[in-house]
Amino acid sequence: MKPFKIIALAKQVPDTRNVGKDAMKEDGTVNRSVLPAIFNPEDLHALEQALLIRDKFPGSTVTILTMGPVRASEILREGLFRGADEGILLTDRAFAGSDTLATSYALACAIRKINGFDIIICGRQAIDGDTAQVGPQVAEKLNISQITYAEEILAIDKKTIRVKRRLERGIETVEGPLPILITVTGTAPRCRPRNSRQMMKFKHSKSASERSEKDEEYLNLINDRPYLNITEWNVNDIECDRSLLGLGGSPTKVKKVDSISFQTKETKTMNDKDEDINSLMKELIVNHTIG
Amino acid sequence: MNNICVYCELDEGKIADVSFELLSKGRKLAGQLDCKLEALLIGHNLSGFEKQLFQYGTDIVYIADDKRLSPYTTFPHTSIIVNLFRETKPQIGLMGATTIGRDLGPRVSSALASGLTADCTELEIGDHEEKKSNKIYKNLLYQIRPAFGGNIIATIINPEHKPQMATVREGVMKKEPVTDYREGKMIILDVKKYLDDTDFAVKIIDRHIEKSRINIKNSPVIVSGGYGVGSADNFNLLFDLASLIGGEVGASRAAVDAGFTDRARQVGQTGVTVRPKLYIACGISGQIQHLAGMQESKIIISVNTDPNAPINKIANYVIHGRIETVLPKMIKYYKANTK
């Protein structure tokens, strides 16, 4: 059986699931700096599916690709600790302000630079936007098939892949041709934890922007152990039409943001005393809201 | 030309509610823009379906009918929409934010290099002045949705790219048949012209769709739980109260993410939008995305230990207390005072 080349897409996101009180500034905007930056949860589920294929077919490789600021190298290391073979960081100011279409274009250009692939796999959506658009858009840009909402990869051979999809109220088994892009839902198995051997191996891995060119000791280390180098590409490293990148390449624009003012109501506040609750229930029954 | 086109999706052989809701919204937008409302229906055995679409004031119905188009798969539906849109050049394209719409929408938007805004909670028409270039854009689609972090609402526009595309969740827009039924125009598409055989590379091997799904959308009473409920066990209290007073159980995203209950019960921007007579929010703090999905409830009761929970601001009644204390008291009173 021939090995598979798998690209796992990942995004570093602010942990919007654990937004504390200090996460909001007084002007009503989000204080990103206090939110921890994490590996987007569904991308981790996707990474696990990639690693499962790799385990089954020796010689297969899993490359994690992320686009983001230099700090996003953190999730590449996280992925390496959990078993990925290689990480690629796509970072440049030219990508700033990208909407989903400009993001998927940049990712597709980076994927073309990677030497071939059989499967691209990523989470269904990222928790900071919930759009679920980038996966299918990357597939369209690369003109390959897509299978979204995947929960389990059931079978794979050199030409086809069979996948179980989780729909709103049911499941569907589909078969598609390789190469293909697959998006994975949070109902898929969780990603394996960090592996101590992988952690030892990749502990000192860094992207070019993270290391100082003056640190000779580290440069020597990288010479001995080239796998410690996290590949870093900027806009000059990929073949692309710059007018399609970043804010300028994004068809959607934010016209304005408003703080929300919900219609506040005249509120009656009460305690959990029997008479309070009883009188409220009585009112609801009498006016036929319930009963 | 330059009309509004709604992609209508089929749910086990019937036109999905979300499509009728989008047509109802599209009808109003078309009135404002003085353009026509179009519906595109792709599937098999569709004869007679156009009448249902005309009930929502659709002017033109496009039908693509072929055995291979049902059930839905990505490529053939994408090809038909993309090729049709290239011919008809709609200014606005709408679809449901369902598993189908979320599979299809981004693929179509990428092929047409047009913008797509997911999960809009409101759609309006308005102008835009680009200060830098001093350019004025008339009659754009304002795609309005809660944005990152949740206490802001963003208005998104696509000034330079058509169609302006948006997805909307089921239940967000109101389904409103028109009072003056008019037979519009029906155009049967020559499917062969829009597809080629490579569009059928992905095959469905097997499908299991459950018939009865949890349906909180139409329930007159919803007892909804948040992270503050604390556990799946405590959710049973909500189920007890709901079944007693003839309601359904809803949940906030935090409660669903924590595994307290089913995702199908999630109320809010990325869940279901509800407008019940009574909404009892138990241990829900009230992030904007949640409020967006229930603020139109007629009576809102918030049961919370936190007197400053944001949801209290939009509640008619706030009961300051613990779920474990308050709900059994409600149950007890109801049992004792109704037949």
Side-chain angles (χ1 to χ4, degrees):
Chain A
M1 190 73 187
K2 79 160 187 154
F4 296 100
K5 291 187 77 168
I6 307 166
I7 298 172
L9 302 180
K11 183 180 186 185
Q12 190 180 43
V13 293
D15 191 356
T16 52
R17 296 169 310 173
N18 295 310
V19 177
K21 286 209 170 98
D22 55 349
M24 295 302 162
K25 295 186 207 159
E26 270 181 17
D27 62 358
T29 60
V30 177
N31 188 0
R32 277 178 188 254
S33 60
V34 302
L35 290 176
I38 58 167
F39 201 120
N40 177 50
E42 286 188 340
D43 292 339
L44 271 178
H45 291 272
L47 175 62
E48 177 61 21
Q49 291 299 313
L51 294 173
L52 287 171
I53 297 173
R54 206 239 354 237
D55 293 349
K56 223 166 160 184
F57 301 97
S60 299
T61 54
V62 176
T63 301
I64 307 186
L65 170 64
T66 191
M67 180 171 113
V70 172
R71 186 186 172 190
S73 308
E74 290 166 5
I75 63 163
L76 295 176
R77 271 188 294 277
E78 181 68 42
L80 292 168
F81 293 164
R82 290 174 192 249
D85 300 282
E86 197 198 342
I88 299 175
L89 171 70
L90 185 61
T91 189
D92 201 298
R93 275 175 179 274
F95 304 131
S98 294
D99 70 357
T100 63
L101 204 65
T103 300
S104 58
Y105 177 69
L107 286 171
C109 292
I111 289 166
R112 284 200 195 94
K113 186 181 164 84
I114 297 172
N115 193 16
F117 63 88
D118 301 294
I119 301 160
I120 301 171
I121 197 160
C122 59
R124 174 189 54 145
Q125 62 192 40
I127 57 170
D128 60 345
D130 288 332
T131 70
Q133 290 176 2
V134 170
Q137 287 175 338
V138 168
E140 196 283 332
K141 300 253 174 278
L142 296 169
N143 197 23
I144 57 171
S145 300
Q146 72 191 44
I147 298 175
T148 53
Y149 290 82
E151 185 169 271
E152 190 186 351
I153 290 167
L154 300 169
I156 177 168
D157 61 33
K158 62 178 192 278
K159 279 200 193 124
T160 58
I161 188 163
R162 188 177 279 213
V163 173
K164 182 170 105 183
R165 299 180 72 214
R166 170 64 54 180
L167 308 179
E168 278 139 330
R169 53 194 174 99
I171 51 171
E172 190 176 82
T173 304
V174 299
E175 198 171 84
L178 300 184
I180 199 162
L181 182 140
I182 292 170
T183 78
V184 178
T185 69
T187 56
R190 279 175 185 281
C191 190
R192 62 195 63 185
R194 297 172 174 191
N195 169 301
S196 55
R197 272 178 57 195
Q198 291 279 114
M199 280 182 75
M200 290 298 285
K201 182 175 171 187
F202 288 110
K203 195 164 67 179
H204 296 293
S205 60
K206 281 181 183 173
S207 60
S209 295
E210 284 182 309
R211 51 182 189 249
S212 152
E213 292 306 320
K214 288 179 196 139
D215 187 350
E216 274 182 41
E217 206 177 321
Y218 187 77
L219 294 177
N220 288 335
L221 186 70
I222 276 206
N223 260 342
D224 291 349
R225 303 178 194 169
Y227 58 82
L228 289 179
N229 175 43
I230 291 178
T231 304
E232 180 179 321
W233 289 338
N234 63 29
V235 70
N236 298 315
D237 294 314
I238 59 172
E239 222 170 278
C240 62
D241 174 348
R242 289 189 184 214
S243 72
L244 299 177
L245 298 173
L247 197 60
S250 299
T252 60
K253 315 274 179 210
V254 177
K255 177 171 169 59
K256 58 171 182 165
V257 291
D258 298 311
S259 314
I260 300 186
S261 54
F262 280 99
Q263 187 112 46
T264 49
K265 293 181 178 163
E266 208 170 294
T267 305
K268 203 169 153 187
T269 304
M270 55 189 76
N271 279 311
D272 58 3
K273 289 199 284 282
D274 286 11
E275 55 264 38
D276 278 6
I277 292 173
N278 290 352
S279 80
L280 170 61
M281 289 300 281
K282 188 176 173 188
E283 198 181 320
L284 294 175
I285 294 168
V286 169
N287 67 22
H288 300 292
T289 301
I290 54 175
Chain B
M1 288 291 168
N2 303 128
N3 293 327
I4 296 176
C5 188
V6 176
Y7 167 82
C8 295
E9 94 181 47
L10 292 166
D11 182 11
E12 299 309 292
K14 288 186 188 145
I15 298 173
D17 267 353
V18 68
S19 305
F20 292 130
E21 292 160 11
L22 286 171
L23 286 171
S24 304
K25 186 71 197 180
R27 182 64 264 161
K28 289 181 193 158
L29 298 176
Q32 278 178 273
L33 292 169
D34 198 20
C35 69
K36 290 196 163 74
L37 176 64
E38 304 173 342
L40 168 60
L41 188 61
I42 303 174
H44 187 47
N45 287 333
L46 301 175
S47 75
F49 277 59
E50 70 282 0
K51 295 213 161 50
Q52 297 175 46
L53 299 170
F54 293 141
Q55 278 169 11
Y56 291 84
T58 308
D59 300 300
I60 303 169
V61 172
Y62 294 100
I63 301 273
D65 194 328
D66 187 300
K67 202 169 79 198
R68 299 170 299 170
L69 295 172
S70 175
Y72 167 87
T73 49
T74 313
F75 263 130
H77 283 237
T78 304
S79 292
I80 290 172
I81 300 179
V82 168
N83 288 323
L84 181 70
F85 279 12
R86 282 189 179 133
E87 285 169 29
T88 59
K89 304 197 187 326
Q91 53 178 311
I92 293 172
L94 304 175
M95 54 182 79
T98 56
T99 37
I100 289 178
R102 285 153 65 85
D103 183 78
L104 180 65
R107 189 103 199 174
V108 171
S109 87
S110 178
L112 296 172
S114 66
L116 171 65
T117 304
D119 299 335
C120 294
T121 51
E122 189 50 272
L123 298 171
E124 291 169 6
I125 301 296
D127 298 340
H128 175 64
E129 187 186 346
E130 191 69 60
K131 296 220 169 67
K132 269 187 223 154
S133 55
N134 222 357
K135 221 168 153 184
I136 292 177
Y137 298 86
K138 288 269 179 214
N139 291 329
L140 291 180
L141 180 68
Y142 286 3
Q143 302 143 53
I144 300 166
R145 61 166 294 182
F148 176 82
N151 69 342
I152 50 170
I153 283 247
T155 301
I156 315 282
I157 47 170
N158 318 344
E160 295 283 356
H161 296 78
K162 299 286 174 314
Q164 308 162 81
M165 288 178 56
T167 69
V168 178
R169 295 250 166 189
E170 186 187 329
V172 171
M173 303 299 173
K174 278 192 192 134
K175 181 171 151 182
E176 295 166 303
V178 292
T179 45
D180 51 333
Y181 178 87
R182 250 177 337 110
E183 192 93 352
K185 196 162 110 184
M186 177 167 65
I187 298 173
I188 308 276
L189 300 175
D190 178 8
V191 171
K192 287 192 292 293
K193 206 179 98 189
Y194 293 90
L195 296 174
D196 65 68
D197 290 342
T198 58
D199 283 332
F200 298 96
V202 175
K203 292 182 179 63
I204 296 173
I205 309 293
D206 194 24
R207 263 167 83 82
H208 295 281
I209 304 297
E210 293 136 25
K211 279 249 154 55
S212 64
R213 66 165 148 175
I214 302 162
N215 189 350
I216 62 170
K217 196 176 88 172
N218 297 316
S219 180
V221 175
I222 294 174
V223 183
S224 203
Y227 194 73
V229 171
S231 66
D233 269 356
N234 276 356
F235 250 83
N236 287 330
L237 273 176
L238 278 64
F239 280 99
D240 290 347
L241 178 63
S243 68
L244 189 68
I245 61 178
E248 265 292 354
V249 171
S252 73
R253 180 178 184 159
V256 171
D257 282 347
F260 295 168
T261 192
D262 258 303
R263 190 159 295 279
R265 299 191 182 278
Q266 187 184 317
V267 172
Q269 187 206 1
T270 55
V272 187
T273 297
V274 295
R275 299 176 179 85
K277 280 199 294 183
L278 175 63
Y279 191 89
I280 307 180
C282 305
I284 294 177
S285 65
Q287 286 214 344
I288 294 307
Q289 287 96 330
H290 186 78
L291 302 188
M294 48 65 71
Q295 55 168 326
E296 288 178 41
S297 306
K298 224 162 156 209
I299 297 176
I300 298 169
I301 300 176
S302 164
V303 183
N304 213 306
T305 51
D306 176 7
N308 300 318
I311 199 165
N312 292 352
K313 287 199 186 115
I314 66 159
N316 304 76
Y317 301 93
V318 173
I319 305 176
H320 185 211
R322 290 160 55 85
I323 312 296
E324 299 92 319
T325 320
V326 175
L327 264 51
K329 286 182 181 179
M330 288 177 149
I331 291 169
K332 191 175 154 202
Y333 183 89
Y334 190 86
K335 277 186 178 162
N337 292 281
T338 51
K339 279 168 202 162

